[in-house]
Amino acid sequence: MSENKQTVELYIEGFNEGNDAKILSCLTEDVAWYMPGFIDIKGKTAFAGEIHNDAFTGKPGITISRMSEENNVVIAEGAVKASFKDGNQLDAVFCDVFEMENGKIKKLYTYQMNR
């Protein structure tokens, strides 16, 4: 497995474990994260502020079903489940596009749809 794919797996592991340090270790200092209509942030500090969403409780369950890589771009498809504090559940599928630089995530585009 390539270094870039290993970084993406480590990043997802960090979310599943609730390990902020692991997540942040996968990012460049000037990382950018875009989720159309929801997230548009730049910088590791801003990213750290988005790791935990106050609407949720506990750790998410994120699985990757497929990863592809070409020219320092990793595309990961998968599913995420999480519990809202109000008792509802998030059950969604996603496609994340990771632009990599020196084995770290420089840009992340997240596309997500509830199932």
Side-chain angles (χ1 to χ4, degrees):
M1 181 181 298
S2 73
E3 178 185 21
N4 288 338
K5 285 183 178 180
Q6 288 175 359
T7 299
V8 170
E9 283 198 344
L10 189 68
Y11 169 84
I12 297 298
E13 281 176 19
F15 275 99
N16 285 332
E17 296 168 359
N19 186 332
D20 294 8
K22 187 179 273 191
I23 296 165
L24 295 173
S25 75
C26 298
L27 310 175
T28 63
E29 289 299 321
D30 61 345
V31 65
W33 184 13
Y34 308 102
M35 186 176 186
F38 297 99
I39 297 171
D40 184 353
I41 59 171
K42 293 175 182 69
K44 194 182 260 190
T45 302
F47 195 105
E50 290 292 325
I51 290 174
H52 300 284
N53 183 317
D54 287 339
F56 293 95
T57 184
K59 300 175 205 164
I62 304 171
T63 56
I64 295 175
S65 56
R66 178 170 52 171
M67 272 197 294
S68 300
E69 179 179 8
E70 185 173 340
N71 298 326
N72 282 321
V73 175
V74 176
I75 298 178
E77 295 176 79
V80 58
K81 292 186 179 191
S83 298
F84 287 99
K85 286 182 179 174
D86 67 7
N88 289 317
Q89 297 292 311
L90 170 68
D91 185 5
V93 292
F94 67 86
C95 180
D96 281 346
V97 179
F98 298 89
E99 290 185 17
M100 311 297 290
E101 181 178 86
N102 299 319
K104 300 225 182 232
I105 300 165
K106 183 168 181 67
K107 288 185 184 172
L108 170 57
Y109 300 86
T110 297
Y111 304 96
Q112 181 176 302
M113 181 186 338
N114 292 332
R115 293 199 256 191

